[in-house]
């Protein structure tokens, strides 16, 4: 079954390469559907892992450790998957599903402002209607990602509570980092009427990064692959969103192929890494 995991990662890589090919320099309808394919891969990956673990199939690359955890986590590592409840797994899958919806709405928003018929590009009424559709789709996309990050927060927060870990002083760095970055971006970029929803999103992103990093660092001595998936996944996810903000609101100076490729790799591989944490949550 480990071959199946590798196959999902390879499929994501191939789909991502094809998607980037058809979304540069201009986004196309084919690119839109290919992006949804990439999102479908990480969602299907998470669901597949949950089903396999549910039926007791060993798909983990990591063996058990003998490290001691708190009394509240005494089931951790007794099973290859780890030691919480299936609720955390359900929350992660739901977060991945909201990521799929976010990609759907934001992908549509990127295309909604352009008339399908080039001859109508100067039609003021049509352009106004398309602008309204673009704004609505953008708002729904941001909302979906806010909800997705919220679900990640609940899942990782339950884990911290279940393992009887604590939020340490150094955790504040990870909570504060995305908010500080947003503050800098707000000065340099033109968010316009999106500044409030984007700001709320960065707060949700900051909470997700802080909780994931806190849990990942504290799990590192006990289960390194679990901790690595949490830290790398949340870190890549955060970097991808910063890149998206630069490209979406920074004008032509950030319309670069390198930025597009880099943030897409960070985003999809970040989601795949977060989905991989499902391997280490014990399901009953």
């Amino acid at each position: 079954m480990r071959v199946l995991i590798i196959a999902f990662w390879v499929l994501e890589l191939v789909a991502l390469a094809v998607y980037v090919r058809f979304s540069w320099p201009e986004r196309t309808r084919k690119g839109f559907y290919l992006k949804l394919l990439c999102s479908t891969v990480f969602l299907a990956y998470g669901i597949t892992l949950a089903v396999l673990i549910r039926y007791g199939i060993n798909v983990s690359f990591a063996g058990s450790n003998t490290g001691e955890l708190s009394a509240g986590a005494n089931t951790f590592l007794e099973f290859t998957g780890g030691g919480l409840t299936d609720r955390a797994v359900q929350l992660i899958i739901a977060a991945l599903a909201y990521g799929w919806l976010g990609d759907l709405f934001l992908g549509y928003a990127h295309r909604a402002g352009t008339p399908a018929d080039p001859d109508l590009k100067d039609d003021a009424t049509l352009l106004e209607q398309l602008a309204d559709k673009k704004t609505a789709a953008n708002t729904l996309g941001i909302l979906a990602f806010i909800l997705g990050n919220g679900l990640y927060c609940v899942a990782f927060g339950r884990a911290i509570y279940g393992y009887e870990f604590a939020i340490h002083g150094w955790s504040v760095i990870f909570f504060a980092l995305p908010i500080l970055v947003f503050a800098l971006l707000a000065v340099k970029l033109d968010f316009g009427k999106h500044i409030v929803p984007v700001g709320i999103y960065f707060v949700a992103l900051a909470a997700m990064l802080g909780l994931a990093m806190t849990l990942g660092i504290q799990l590192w001595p006990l289960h390194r692959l679990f901790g690595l998936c949490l830290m790398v996944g949340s870190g890549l996810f955060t970097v991808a969103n910063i890149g998206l903000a630069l490209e979406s609101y920074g004008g032509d100076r950030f319309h670069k192929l390198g930025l597009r490729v880099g943030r897409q790799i960070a985003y999809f591989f970040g989601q795949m890494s977060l989905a991989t944490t499902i391997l280490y949550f014990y399901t009953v």
Side-chain angles (χ1 to χ4, degrees), residues 43-57:
L43 177 57
Y45 175 60
I47 293 172
T48 300
L49 294 182
V51 171
L52 291 176
I53 294 177
R54 179 74 177 183
Y55 287 97
I57 299 174

PDB file of all heavy atoms in Angstrom, residues 43-57:
ATOM      1  N   LEU A  43      -7.425  15.885  -2.057  1.00  0.00           N
ATOM      2  CA  LEU A  43      -8.619  15.494  -1.311  1.00  0.00           C
ATOM      3  C   LEU A  43      -8.796  13.976  -1.346  1.00  0.00           C
ATOM      4  O   LEU A  43      -9.052  13.345  -0.305  1.00  0.00           O
ATOM      5  CB  LEU A  43      -9.848  16.192  -1.889  1.00  0.00           C
ATOM      6  CG  LEU A  43     -11.196  15.829  -1.258  1.00  0.00           C
ATOM      7  CD1 LEU A  43     -11.193  16.098   0.248  1.00  0.00           C
ATOM      8  CD2 LEU A  43     -12.329  16.599  -1.938  1.00  0.00           C
ATOM      9  N   ALA A  44      -8.639  13.379  -2.525  1.00  0.00           N
ATOM     10  CA  ALA A  44      -8.758  11.925  -2.660  1.00  0.00           C
ATOM     11  C   ALA A  44      -7.670  11.212  -1.861  1.00  0.00           C
ATOM     12  O   ALA A  44      -7.908  10.139  -1.281  1.00  0.00           O
ATOM     13  CB  ALA A  44      -8.679  11.530  -4.136  1.00  0.00           C
ATOM     14  N   TYR A  45      -6.493  11.813  -1.818  1.00  0.00           N
ATOM     15  CA  TYR A  45      -5.373  11.248  -1.054  1.00  0.00           C
ATOM     16  C   TYR A  45      -5.717  11.169   0.427  1.00  0.00           C
ATOM     17  O   TYR A  45      -5.533  10.130   1.077  1.00  0.00           O
ATOM     18  CB  TYR A  45      -4.140  12.115  -1.283  1.00  0.00           C
ATOM     19  CG  TYR A  45      -2.912  11.761  -0.482  1.00  0.00           C
ATOM     20  CD1 TYR A  45      -2.309  10.516  -0.593  1.00  0.00           C
ATOM     21  CD2 TYR A  45      -2.327  12.698   0.363  1.00  0.00           C
ATOM     22  CE1 TYR A  45      -1.162  10.205   0.133  1.00  0.00           C
ATOM     23  CE2 TYR A  45      -1.180  12.406   1.083  1.00  0.00           C
ATOM     24  CZ  TYR A  45      -0.599  11.153   0.968  1.00  0.00           C
ATOM     25  OH  TYR A  45       0.530  10.852   1.675  1.00  0.00           O
ATOM     26  N   GLY A  46      -6.244  12.273   0.966  1.00  0.00           N
ATOM     27  CA  GLY A  46      -6.613  12.282   2.376  1.00  0.00           C
ATOM     28  C   GLY A  46      -7.703  11.268   2.688  1.00  0.00           C
ATOM     29  O   GLY A  46      -7.626  10.547   3.699  1.00  0.00           O
ATOM     30  N   ILE A  47      -8.717  11.193   1.853  1.00  0.00           N
ATOM     31  CA  ILE A  47      -9.806  10.240   2.073  1.00  0.00           C
ATOM     32  C   ILE A  47      -9.284   8.809   1.991  1.00  0.00           C
ATOM     33  O   ILE A  47      -9.650   7.946   2.806  1.00  0.00           O
ATOM     34  CB  ILE A  47     -10.925  10.463   1.037  1.00  0.00           C
ATOM     35  CG1 ILE A  47     -11.595  11.832   1.274  1.00  0.00           C
ATOM     36  CG2 ILE A  47     -11.963   9.347   1.114  1.00  0.00           C
ATOM     37  CD1 ILE A  47     -12.581  12.226   0.203  1.00  0.00           C
ATOM     38  N   THR A  48      -8.408   8.547   1.030  1.00  0.00           N
ATOM     39  CA  THR A  48      -7.852   7.199   0.864  1.00  0.00           C
ATOM     40  C   THR A  48      -7.066   6.770   2.096  1.00  0.00           C
ATOM     41  O   THR A  48      -7.203   5.645   2.586  1.00  0.00           O
ATOM     42  CB  THR A  48      -6.949   7.137  -0.377  1.00  0.00           C
ATOM     43  OG1 THR A  48      -7.716   7.474  -1.536  1.00  0.00           O
ATOM     44  CG2 THR A  48      -6.347   5.745  -0.551  1.00  0.00           C
ATOM     45  N   LEU A  49      -6.233   7.672   2.626  1.00  0.00           N
ATOM     46  CA  LEU A  49      -5.460   7.348   3.835  1.00  0.00           C
ATOM     47  C   LEU A  49      -6.387   7.028   5.003  1.00  0.00           C
ATOM     48  O   LEU A  49      -6.154   6.078   5.762  1.00  0.00           O
ATOM     49  CB  LEU A  49      -4.537   8.509   4.201  1.00  0.00           C
ATOM     50  CG  LEU A  49      -3.398   8.835   3.239  1.00  0.00           C
ATOM     51  CD1 LEU A  49      -2.562   9.990   3.788  1.00  0.00           C
ATOM     52  CD2 LEU A  49      -2.519   7.623   2.983  1.00  0.00           C
ATOM     53  N   ALA A  50      -7.438   7.835   5.150  1.00  0.00           N
ATOM     54  CA  ALA A  50      -8.369   7.607   6.254  1.00  0.00           C
ATOM     55  C   ALA A  50      -9.053   6.252   6.139  1.00  0.00           C
ATOM     56  O   ALA A  50      -9.217   5.533   7.130  1.00  0.00           O
ATOM     57  CB  ALA A  50      -9.413   8.721   6.291  1.00  0.00           C
ATOM     58  N   VAL A  51      -9.453   5.892   4.922  1.00  0.00           N
ATOM     59  CA  VAL A  51     -10.122   4.606   4.717  1.00  0.00           C
ATOM     60  C   VAL A  51      -9.176   3.440   4.992  1.00  0.00           C
ATOM     61  O   VAL A  51      -9.534   2.463   5.661  1.00  0.00           O
ATOM     62  CB  VAL A  51     -10.681   4.514   3.279  1.00  0.00           C
ATOM     63  CG1 VAL A  51     -11.170   3.102   2.980  1.00  0.00           C
ATOM     64  CG2 VAL A  51     -11.816   5.515   3.086  1.00  0.00           C
ATOM     65  N   LEU A  52      -7.935   3.554   4.507  1.00  0.00           N
ATOM     66  CA  LEU A  52      -6.967   2.474   4.712  1.00  0.00           C
ATOM     67  C   LEU A  52      -6.683   2.253   6.200  1.00  0.00           C
ATOM     68  O   LEU A  52      -6.657   1.122   6.689  1.00  0.00           O
ATOM     69  CB  LEU A  52      -5.666   2.786   3.969  1.00  0.00           C
ATOM     70  CG  LEU A  52      -5.738   2.757   2.436  1.00  0.00           C
ATOM     71  CD1 LEU A  52      -4.406   3.176   1.843  1.00  0.00           C
ATOM     72  CD2 LEU A  52      -6.132   1.377   1.928  1.00  0.00           C
ATOM     73  N   ILE A  53      -6.474   3.364   6.928  1.00  0.00           N
ATOM     74  CA  ILE A  53      -6.187   3.241   8.353  1.00  0.00           C
ATOM     75  C   ILE A  53      -7.414   2.741   9.098  1.00  0.00           C
ATOM     76  O   ILE A  53      -7.314   1.969  10.053  1.00  0.00           O
ATOM     77  CB  ILE A  53      -5.699   4.591   8.922  1.00  0.00           C
ATOM     78  CG1 ILE A  53      -4.350   4.962   8.309  1.00  0.00           C
ATOM     79  CG2 ILE A  53      -5.575   4.528  10.433  1.00  0.00           C
ATOM     80  CD1 ILE A  53      -3.830   6.298   8.757  1.00  0.00           C
ATOM     81  N   ARG A  54      -8.580   3.172   8.656  1.00  0.00           N
ATOM     82  CA  ARG A  54      -9.816   2.736   9.301  1.00  0.00           C
ATOM     83  C   ARG A  54      -9.926   1.213   9.307  1.00  0.00           C
ATOM     84  O   ARG A  54     -10.415   0.616  10.280  1.00  0.00           O
ATOM     85  CB  ARG A  54     -11.007   3.346   8.559  1.00  0.00           C
ATOM     86  CG  ARG A  54     -12.370   2.954   9.101  1.00  0.00           C
ATOM     87  CD  ARG A  54     -12.642   3.665  10.396  1.00  0.00           C
ATOM     88  NE  ARG A  54     -13.968   3.371  10.906  1.00  0.00           N
ATOM     89  CZ  ARG A  54     -14.492   3.901  11.991  1.00  0.00           C
ATOM     90  NH1 ARG A  54     -13.798   4.770  12.672  1.00  0.00           N
ATOM     91  NH2 ARG A  54     -15.692   3.577  12.400  1.00  0.00           N
ATOM     92  N   TYR A  55      -9.468   0.601   8.225  1.00  0.00           N
ATOM     93  CA  TYR A  55      -9.557  -0.853   8.117  1.00  0.00           C
ATOM     94  C   TYR A  55      -8.255  -1.555   8.525  1.00  0.00           C
ATOM     95  O   TYR A  55      -8.042  -2.716   8.195  1.00  0.00           O
ATOM     96  CB  TYR A  55      -9.964  -1.240   6.694  1.00  0.00           C
ATOM     97  CG  TYR A  55     -11.421  -0.924   6.417  1.00  0.00           C
ATOM     98  CD1 TYR A  55     -11.774   0.249   5.769  1.00  0.00           C
ATOM     99  CD2 TYR A  55     -12.423  -1.773   6.857  1.00  0.00           C
ATOM    100  CE1 TYR A  55     -13.111   0.561   5.545  1.00  0.00           C
ATOM    101  CE2 TYR A  55     -13.761  -1.471   6.636  1.00  0.00           C
ATOM    102  CZ  TYR A  55     -14.101  -0.303   5.979  1.00  0.00           C
ATOM    103  OH  TYR A  55     -15.426   0.003   5.762  1.00  0.00           O
ATOM    104  N   GLY A  56      -7.388  -0.805   9.224  1.00  0.00           N
ATOM    105  CA  GLY A  56      -6.211  -1.423   9.833  1.00  0.00           C
ATOM    106  C   GLY A  56      -5.107  -1.785   8.866  1.00  0.00           C
ATOM    107  O   GLY A  56      -4.289  -2.657   9.169  1.00  0.00           O
ATOM    108  N   ILE A  57      -5.060  -1.134   7.701  1.00  0.00           N
ATOM    109  CA  ILE A  57      -4.012  -1.438   6.720  1.00  0.00           C
ATOM    110  C   ILE A  57      -2.804  -0.559   6.999  1.00  0.00           C
ATOM    111  O   ILE A  57      -2.902   0.664   7.059  1.00  0.00           O
ATOM    112  CB  ILE A  57      -4.514  -1.202   5.285  1.00  0.00           C
ATOM    113  CG1 ILE A  57      -5.704  -2.136   5.009  1.00  0.00           C
ATOM    114  CG2 ILE A  57      -3.401  -1.446   4.272  1.00  0.00           C
ATOM    115  CD1 ILE A  57      -6.363  -1.888   3.670  1.00  0.00           C
TER     116      ILE A  57
END
